[in-house]
Amino acid sequence: MDFEVLNGLLRPKSVAVIGASNTPGKIGYLAVKNLIDCNYPGRVYPINPKEAKIQGLPAYPSVLDVPGEIDVAMLIVPAARTIAVTEECGRKGVKGLIVVASGYSEIGRKDLEDELVATARRYGMRLLGPNIVGIMCNSDKCNASFGPFMPLPGKAAMISQSGALLIAMTVASYVRNVGFDKMISVGNMADVNFGDLVEWLDQDAQTTCITIYVEGFQNGRRFLEIARRAHKPIVALKSGVSAHGAAAAASHTGAMAGKGKVYDAALQQAGVVRASDLNNLFDRTLALSLQPPMAGSNLMIISNGGGVGVLAADAAERYGIPLRFAPDDLQAALRAYVPEIGSVKNPADLTGMGGWPEYLATVKTALQHPWVHGLVVLFCETQRNDPMDIASAIKRAVDESGVTDKPIAVSFIGGAEAERAMKWLVENGLPTYGAPDIAVNAIAALHEYAQMHGIGRDGEPVTEEFTPYCDVDADAARAIIAQARATGRVYLSEIESKKVFAAYGLPVAVTELAKTEDEAVQLAETMGYPVVLKIMSPDILHKSDAGGVKINLRSAEDVRAAYRAILASARAYKPDARIEGVAVQQMAPSGTEVILGSINDPTFGPTVMFGLGGIFIEILKDVTFRVAPISAEHALAMLADIQGAPLLAGARGEAPRDRIALAEALSRYSQMIMDLGDEIAESDANPVLVYAEGHGSKVVDARIILR
Ligand code: ACO
């Protein structure tokens, strides 16, 4: 991304409004009016073929008639006319286009959109939109949009895929008391997209937090890489779920992925903080834009009422930062300001006796104590106290503490006086909310951000850097796939699938095809008893239903009898079935059943899934996803993500399962689906049996569906 080119587009020094109008209510009228009303210091050039003046400013028939340079042209003429206008902009040397006009890919006119982008590219212009509201920037006094209001000034930057929502958020920002420096509408993202904007905002001096409303990314993987590298917190509200949903899915993994779980995983991997709804987006933006990350999990709560303290403690547990008792020396230090009837444990309860001097002293003491990583201060408006006194005491305590690397969130519960004090606190850099659980949720956002980015994370940091395994045989895997394709198939047989898995070092149960009874015996003798025999036929998918599976065969006689029985039942089940032979497989000892799966997600590409087998996947849908590839360490953390994780850790007296071996298998699998991403659509190893620690795991069945 070229920072300077985007600067020209997003911080223009001159704006031409093509389609500027004198007719009140028209979008071309609003755009000019907004630039005038916001006291935009740059040059504004209204373009209109019929008018000499637009709202008092000299107008020009075309950008080519404008005497000065033009950084940005807003295209507010019907879509069909935008190509010709773009040509003129290119010839004029305009740097960037804000295409407000609708009528492109969103209504099936992708051709027009492509032509628009191609024309802009020919002249080296970047393009925001089409189908957008425009851009707003408080620090540049620039409202190049048809949204009538600039947002409340602040430090966040909002990127929205919905134009209407963006306009609504400008007004809501005043009511919610959450400030934004910039708001950018991205619409169809024909050229400039989320990734470009995050990269640019990450370098923007006025932005401390990037807030996004996203319906879908265009190049999910690129966004992930940019987001992961960003130095500023990103908070996202994602709407909708992935389109390739359950119905079209040919595998367990595909069905599970249809619930937006891939987005959840991808955004988590990218270190993006999530918001659960619009209110939560505002609340989390406020905290992330004003406060530092919470570099540890010791949250202290100070209140003047037991009830709100308990509500906050409940919320802390709900949002992943359960309270711990304050250490003895901190309790002793707080005791000097807390009456005997109050508590110093955590939450610290100053009781109704607590006034501004107690808030000042306890907030300062807590912030300065090394055990505390973050602070939530609660105040119930009582007759004894003026909320403004409490607010100034909190602010003074923060300033006097000299602590700048620990976050603080505040909640005042009360009436109009409390509201005024809360507004003052926000204006002074302290995120303040009307309910204790919201304050805790906001500080949890700072904790999540820190945890995802390894800032004071609990325990050892996870190595997420993936180093490819060298002992894999991609050529062998590709040869197997090519052979299957040569016979016109878009799937691999169980034996072929297992060979591909084995080529990547996954521990598959050895399986070979026997075409005769003798061959079956020979294979069994080589592998060692006991063995399993399974029918191999492209026309029989459910082998057990066809009487096509015999297990625990312990001798040559067993194998011969099983071979004959399988063929007989398969023929009876489906007389015209094409029978390739019988698979002979080492019989794996029983173990904990898990499933490894993969899909090629339309947004994020190859993605792995992990879950426990049986009812855990069928009924509980207890699975977790990661965008591939993932390191073995990362895979180990992934195993702990599912609700059934204790079963692997060794629940109810069972020996812990070999999670190290399983994690390596998962990591190797992630490499396999990356390397073969151009070939594999979906795959799974199901079941994989996991044994006690030190005894590894075994892939018992596998399948691969080609793209
Ligand atoms: N150069 C300059 N001006 C021109 C040109 C040209 N080549 N051709 C026409 N004009 C003038 C017109 O004469 C007119 O001026 P006037 O009011 O003096 O007559 C003006 O440009 C606008 O042209 P119209 O044909 O009147 O178009 P109109 O204003 O009705 O619609 C618009 C144009 C707004 C771009 C419309 O086509 C459109 O796309 N609307 C939807 C936009 C939108 O909502 N985008 C955001 C989506 S997000 C959300 O939903 C909030």
Side-chain angles (χ1 to χ4, degrees):
M1 190 267 310
D2 188 331
F3 187 75
E4 284 310 318
V5 173
L6 277 194
N7 256 351
L9 177 66
L10 299 164
R11 307 192 62 190
K13 298 206 166 39
S14 49
V15 178
V17 181
I18 305 178
S21 176
N22 277 324
T23 309
K26 285 184 100 169
I27 290 184
Y29 174 90
L30 293 170
V32 175
K33 181 177 188 303
N34 290 343
L35 283 163
I36 295 170
D37 287 355
C38 72
N39 296 319
Y40 175 59
R43 302 295 302 264
V44 180
Y45 300 111
I47 311 294
N48 184 305
K50 299 176 302 198
E51 305 276 355
K53 282 205 160 190
I54 298 273
Q55 298 175 50
L57 296 173
Y60 303 87
S62 153
V63 283
L64 294 169
D65 302 309
V66 171
E69 283 190 11
I70 302 172
D71 275 355
V72 156
M74 297 176 74
L75 271 51
I76 315 183
V77 289
R81 287 194 212 156
T82 51
I83 307 294
V85 161
T86 300
E87 276 285 348
E88 289 180 359
C89 289
R91 280 164 47 211
K92 171 67 185 170
V94 171
K95 291 180 188 150
L97 305 176
I98 292 178
V99 187
V100 172
S102 304
Y104 300 87
S105 60
E106 81 281 5
I107 57 152
R109 291 299 310 273
K110 176 85 168 56
D111 57 323
L112 194 56
E113 193 165 298
D114 289 345
E115 197 182 344
L116 180 74
V117 175
T119 312
R121 289 239 166 96
R122 240 190 352 264
Y123 292 99
M125 292 184 286
R126 295 304 302 262
L127 178 162
L128 199 61
N131 188 26
I132 60 171
V133 168
I135 58 171
M136 300 166 182
C137 175
N138 268 312
S139 53
D140 288 345
K141 291 202 178 100
C142 176
N143 182 1
S145 83
F146 66 86
F149 303 101
M150 293 279 261
L152 176 73
K155 296 181 171 182
M158 164 100 195
I159 313 169
S160 174
Q161 212 166 344
S162 157
L165 186 65
L166 183 124
I167 296 180
M169 284 189 75
T170 59
V171 255
S173 69
Y174 292 88
V175 183
R176 308 287 314 220
N177 213 12
V178 180
F180 293 86
D181 186 56
K182 296 178 177 65
M183 287 211 174
I184 303 170
S185 169
V186 287
N188 298 5
M189 296 187 285
D191 176 27
V192 172
N193 57 31
F194 277 112
D196 299 320
L197 293 170
V198 166
E199 213 170 20
W200 183 78
L201 288 168
D202 198 35
Q203 295 182 51
D204 176 53
Q206 272 72 38
T207 301
T208 56
C209 164
I210 303 166
T211 303
I212 66 180
Y213 166 76
V214 55
E215 285 160 12
F217 294 111
Q218 283 184 326
N219 184 344
R221 222 162 243 270
R222 179 165 172 270
F223 174 81
L224 292 196
E225 275 152 27
I226 290 170
R228 214 181 337 232
R229 284 198 310 265
H231 303 91
K232 296 174 186 171
I234 303 168
V235 55
L237 176 61
K238 162 80 179 84
S239 70
V241 291
S242 58
H244 65 87
S251 68
H252 265 317
T253 315
M256 297 293 148
K259 312 266 182 221
K261 287 197 177 196
V262 176
Y263 259 96
D264 292 348
L267 291 176
Q268 160 93 20
Q269 277 174 268
V272 172
V273 176
R274 298 294 292 275
S276 53
D277 56 38
L278 265 180
N279 287 336
N280 193 237
L281 187 66
F282 273 113
D283 296 335
R284 293 192 141 205
T285 293
L286 184 64
L288 289 161
S289 66
L290 296 180
Q291 291 289 304
M294 181 169 156
S297 296
N298 295 332
L299 174 66
M300 184 82 205
I301 292 175
I302 295 175
S303 78
N304 66 342
V308 283
V310 176
L311 283 173
D314 289 351
E317 193 166 304
R318 197 158 64 240
Y319 300 130
I321 22 174
L323 292 194
R324 299 159 178 164
F325 287 127
D328 292 346
D329 63 330
L330 177 54
Q331 290 198 26
L334 292 171
R335 183 51 78 192
Y337 316 104
V338 178
E340 274 309 314
I341 51 164
S343 169
V344 288
K345 287 181 171 162
N346 192 20
D349 179 8
L350 310 182
T351 76
M353 310 287 288
W356 72 261
E358 287 74 25
Y359 271 97
L360 173 65
T362 52
V363 169
K364 196 161 141 186
T365 304
L367 275 179
Q368 286 176 333
H369 195 282
W371 179 83
V372 173
H373 297 124
L375 187 63
V376 167
V377 185
L378 311 173
F379 169 68
C380 290
E381 191 177 352
T382 59
Q383 268 189 330
R384 279 173 58 96
N385 290 303
D386 178 345
M388 204 53 220
D389 289 344
I390 304 295
S392 6
I394 296 170
K395 166 74 177 138
R396 213 177 111 197
V398 173
D399 292 345
E400 288 179 8
S401 74
V403 175
T404 54
D405 59 353
K406 295 179 185 178
I408 171 166
V410 182
S411 171
F412 276 25
I413 303 101
E417 296 290 314
E419 288 287 332
R420 256 192 295 282
M422 285 163 66
K423 191 161 186 299
W424 183 87
L425 278 165
V426 173
E427 282 161 7
N428 282 278
L430 298 176
T432 306
Y433 306 90
D437 55 313
I438 302 178
V440 173
N441 181 288
I443 213 146
L446 292 155
H447 179 250
E448 285 161 28
Y449 173 67
Q451 292 279 310
M452 285 189 284
H453 290 268
I455 306 167
R457 192 199 308 250
D458 293 340
E460 289 296 306
V462 176
T463 308
E464 300 203 340
E465 204 60 43
F466 176 79
T467 313
Y469 296 89
C470 306
D471 59 345
V472 303
D473 193 346
D475 291 342
R478 283 192 182 277
I480 294 163
I481 292 170
Q483 249 172 6
R485 285 213 192 269
T487 64
R489 276 184 289 140
V490 287
Y491 62 89
L492 302 190
S493 70
E494 180 187 333
I495 294 179
E496 290 165 336
S497 301
K498 280 182 175 165
K499 288 201 165 126
V500 172
F501 275 89
Y504 276 82
L506 276 99
V508 297
V510 177
T511 311
E512 299 284 354
L513 182 68
K515 295 200 165 177
T516 65
E517 205 177 299
D518 286 344
E519 264 178 35
V521 172
Q522 215 170 14
L523 286 169
E525 305 268 319
T526 319
M527 287 175 197
Y529 294 103
V531 294
V532 177
L533 262 55
K534 297 182 201 172
I535 187 74
M536 283 288 112
S537 162
D539 304 313
I540 300 177
L541 289 181
H542 304 287
K543 301 180 190 109
S544 299
D545 295 354
V549 181
K550 300 277 177 208
I551 63 166
N552 206 11
L553 309 172
R554 301 186 159 269
S555 65
E557 292 69 44
D558 282 359
V559 170
R560 285 183 192 284
Y563 192 96
R564 277 180 236 132
I566 283 176
L567 284 192
S569 14
R571 286 201 185 102
Y573 179 77
K574 201 159 195 237
D576 59 344
R578 288 164 295 167
I579 291 173
E580 290 165 352
V582 171
V584 183
Q585 179 193 311
Q586 271 177 337
M587 169 103 181
S590 60
T592 304
E593 274 189 28
V594 303
I595 166 168
L596 314 186
S598 86
I599 52 156
N600 219 320
D601 184 83
T603 305
F604 297 104
T607 302
V608 281
M609 184 196 81
F610 165 73
L612 292 175
I615 59 155
F616 292 97
I617 183 147
E618 300 287 349
I619 296 164
L620 302 174
K621 321 275 185 239
D622 184 16
V623 293
T624 178
F625 286 82
R626 292 290 185 283
V627 175
I630 54 169
S631 68
E633 251 191 278
H634 189 164
L636 197 59
M638 183 179 176
L639 301 185
D641 245 21
I642 56 166
Q643 287 178 2
L647 290 173
L648 291 173
R652 302 174 70 102
E654 288 241 359
R657 303 287 97 185
D658 199 337
R659 285 168 294 179
I660 303 280
L662 182 58
E664 183 182 325
L666 201 44
S667 174
R668 285 175 174 276
Y669 183 34
S670 77
Q671 181 176 346
M672 176 187 124
I673 59 163
M674 274 307 280
D675 285 0
L676 308 175
D678 55 331
E679 294 280 13
I680 297 178
E682 292 182 31
S683 67
D684 60 41
N686 178 28
V688 177
L689 302 176
V690 192
Y691 304 114
E693 259 173 9
H695 292 83
S697 63
K698 215 42 137 191
V699 177
V700 174
D701 202 349
R703 67 172 162 171
I704 292 176
I705 297 157
L706 301 175
R707 283 167 79 117

